Amino acid sequence: MFLGWLFGNIIFGILSDKYGRRKILFFSSCLVCWVAFVSSFVPWYWMYATLRFIIGFGLGGSIVCLFIMATEYVGPNHRAMAGTFTWYFWTGALMLIALLAYLVRDWRKLSMITSAPGLILFVFWILIPESVRWLVTHGEMSQAETLLERVAKTNKKEMPEEGLGLPDDQKSTQREAGFMDLFRTRSMTKKTVISWISWFVNAQVYFGVSLGSVLLGGNMYLNFFLTSLVEIPGNAFAIYAMNRFGRKKVVVIGLVVAAIANLIVTVIPNDSENTGFVAGRIIFAMIGKFSVMNSFDAIFVFSAELFPTVVRNVGLGTSSAAGRVGSITSPFVIWLATYMAQLPYIIMAIDAFIAGVLCLLLPETNKEPTAETLSSESPTALLKLDNDDEEENTEK
C-alpha cells in the first residue's frame, strides 16, 4: 500500500496542478473506498496485494489534495489551523480502528465495516468547491470571484471592490510548471531536497512508533490506541506552536525531542514482566509520537508554504512520496528488533536528529503570503485572501 501511495503522490500531484484539486480529490478518494470494499471479498493473495497497491495509489492523491485545498482557501494567519485540523479525523480513525480491531477479529468483516461508508463519498461533490488559488493561477478569475462571493455571503462579509489577480512580478508563465521546476534555482533545490528528507524521516518515525507499539509490552490494542490518542493534544499543540513560534521551530524541536524520546526507550529494559519498565517504555513512546506528530503537522504546512502555487502539488506530492519511502522502511526498521530490541529506536532517533538539523537551513514561512508563480520565490502580497487576512489582524 505504501508503494502505491508513493506513486499516487507523484502522479496525482502533477495531475491536480494541471487539472484542479477538486477533480483529483474526489476521483482518488472514491477510488480508495470502492477498491477497499472490493478487496474484502477477494480469495487470492496476489489480487489482494494488487488492490492494496491501488488503495495506496488513491491515498497518495486524496490526502495531499485534501490538505492543499484546506490551506489554499485561507490567509497566512489561518493556514496552520486549516491544514492541521483535518488530521483530527485521521487520529479519530486510528483510534476507531484499534477499537474495531479488538471487537471484530475477522479481517474481511473489519475491511467491509471500515470501507463501506466511503461508497457514498461522491455526494459531497456539490459541497466542496475548487481551490480559488488554483483558479486564479490558471486564469479562471470569474469562477474564482464567484466562489469567494459565496464565501463572503456565508460569512456575512463584504467582498473587496478590487478584483482578484496576481502581482505584475508573478504573472503566469508561458509554460506549465512541472517536476524539473523544483530544481530551477539553487534555493528551490535546497528547499526541495530538505523537504524530501524531512518527510522521509517524519513518516519513518511516525509509522515506526505506531507499528512498534506492539513491541512495548502489554496489550497491543491498548498500546496502539494510546499512541494514537496522544495525537489529539499533539494536533492542538501543533496549531498553537506553529502560530506562536513558527513552522520551522516546531519541525526542528519536534524531531529533536522525538529523537531523545526514542533514545530513552532504548535504555529502559525490555522486560514485559516488569510493569514499571513496560509503563516507562509506553510513556516515552507516546512522548516520541507526540513530538513527531507535531513535526509531521508542521512539515505539511511548512512544505505547502515553501512551494509556489503552480508547483505546490508537485512539490508537496513528491515530498509526500519521499514520506512514503520512509513509511515503507518503517516495518523493516521495526523488524530489526528480532536481532536487537533497541535497534529500531536507535535508527529512528539518529534519523530524526539529522533531519531536525537540516531543517534549520530552511526559511521561516509563518504569517507570510505564499508565492503563486515561479517568478518570485520570495512571497509578496498576493491574493486579496492574504491581504484581507493581514488587514484584519492590523485592525485587531
Side-chain angles (χ1 to χ4, degrees):
M1 187 176 76
F2 285 134
L3 183 62
W5 200 332
L6 186 157
F7 287 101
N9 283 148
I10 298 172
I11 295 174
F12 282 127
I14 295 171
L15 291 177
S16 67
D17 277 337
K18 186 172 184 179
Y19 299 109
R21 321 308 197 196
R22 184 174 178 237
K23 294 175 183 176
I24 300 303
L25 172 64
F26 274 88
F27 175 77
S28 57
S29 297
C30 290
L31 180 68
V32 169
C33 297
W34 296 347
V35 174
F37 188 78
V38 171
S39 70
S40 307
F41 305 96
V42 297
W44 304 289
Y45 175 76
W46 66 266
M47 181 178 290
Y48 180 78
T50 301
L51 294 178
R52 296 300 290 180
F53 176 89
I54 296 173
I55 292 169
F57 185 76
L59 280 171
S62 60
I63 290 180
V64 172
C65 285
L66 175 64
F67 176 82
I68 287 180
M69 287 187 73
T71 57
E72 286 187 340
Y73 246 97
V74 298
N77 292 311
H78 300 297
R79 280 197 293 263
M81 169 66 80
T84 304
F85 196 81
T86 58
W87 303 126
Y88 277 112
F89 297 93
W90 171 278
T91 301
L94 290 177
M95 295 166 61
L96 184 60
I97 282 291
L99 175 62
L100 290 174
Y102 177 77
L103 297 174
V104 183
R105 302 300 175 91
D106 183 271
W107 72 267
R108 291 185 185 275
K109 292 179 181 178
L110 181 63
S111 178
M112 285 186 280
I113 291 171
T114 54
S115 59
L119 298 178
I120 59 171
L121 194 63
F122 64 91
V123 300
F124 293 100
W125 173 267
I126 60 175
L127 300 176
I128 300 178
E130 181 56 87
S131 164
V132 170
R133 294 180 187 274
W134 183 87
L135 290 171
V136 170
T137 57
H138 286 74
E140 302 289 343
M141 299 299 178
S142 60
Q143 188 177 346
E145 289 180 353
T146 300
L147 289 175
L148 284 183
E149 285 171 0
R150 286 170 50 191
V151 173
K153 184 178 180 180
T154 301
N155 294 333
K156 298 180 179 179
K157 300 285 185 179
E158 291 293 329
M159 276 285 289
E161 294 182 2
E162 188 177 354
L164 292 175
L166 297 174
D168 292 336
D169 66 339
Q170 295 203 45
K171 296 296 183 182
S172 298
T173 54
Q174 294 180 347
R175 61 183 180 83
E176 289 285 338
F179 174 79
M180 294 308 298
D181 288 294
L182 296 176
F183 307 94
R184 184 176 178 180
T185 65
R186 197 172 188 177
S187 174
M188 276 296 294
T189 300
K190 181 180 72 174
K191 292 175 183 178
T192 300
V193 172
I194 295 178
S195 178
W196 288 357
I197 293 172
S198 300
W199 274 78
F200 174 92
V201 173
N202 271 286
Q204 183 191 75
V205 177
Y206 175 87
F207 287 103
V209 173
S210 297
L211 296 173
S213 62
V214 300
L215 304 175
L216 298 173
N219 187 291
M220 65 177 181
Y221 298 101
L222 179 60
N223 290 350
F224 187 85
F225 178 85
L226 291 175
T227 54
S228 299
L229 177 65
V230 76
E231 294 185 20
I232 294 179
N235 283 323
F237 181 77
I239 294 171
Y240 166 78
M242 277 189 280
N243 287 326
R244 177 68 176 82
F245 306 110
R247 287 49 159 145
K248 184 167 75 171
K249 289 181 180 178
V250 176
V251 173
V252 172
I253 295 174
L255 286 169
V256 171
V257 173
I260 294 171
N262 279 317
L263 283 177
I264 293 176
V265 170
T266 66
V267 301
I268 299 176
N270 186 21
D271 184 358
S272 59
E273 301 299 322
N274 188 307
T275 304
F277 289 156
V278 172
R281 288 169 63 84
I282 292 174
I283 289 171
F284 281 102
M286 290 176 68
I287 293 173
K289 184 69 173 293
F290 178 91
S291 301
V292 78
M293 188 70 216
N294 274 257
S295 177
F296 219 160
D297 283 342
I299 200 65
F300 258 96
V301 178
F302 199 19
S303 297
E305 293 174 340
L306 284 172
F307 297 109
T309 297
V310 291
V311 290
R312 185 166 296 128
N313 246 32
V314 175
L316 197 56
T318 54
S319 295
S320 185
R324 290 326 105 211
V325 177
S327 303
I328 292 171
T329 66
S330 61
F332 297 101
V333 170
I334 296 302
W335 174 75
L336 293 174
T338 57
Y339 297 97
M340 178 182 174
Q342 297 86 357
L343 189 56
Y345 291 93
I346 292 174
I347 292 173
M348 290 188 289
I350 294 173
D351 288 350
F353 182 79
I354 293 173
V357 172
L358 286 174
C359 284
L360 290 171
L361 302 175
L362 294 174
E364 180 56 76
T365 60
N366 188 27
K367 301 189 188 320
E368 293 290 337
T370 56
E372 304 300 322
T373 67
L374 290 161
S375 59
S376 176
E377 287 188 49
S378 298
T380 56
L382 304 175
L383 296 175
K384 297 299 173 285
L385 211 60
D386 287 341
N387 294 336
D388 291 345
D389 201 47
E390 292 172 1
E391 290 171 5
E392 180 182 334
N393 282 326
T394 303
E395 292 173 2
K396 291 178 182 177

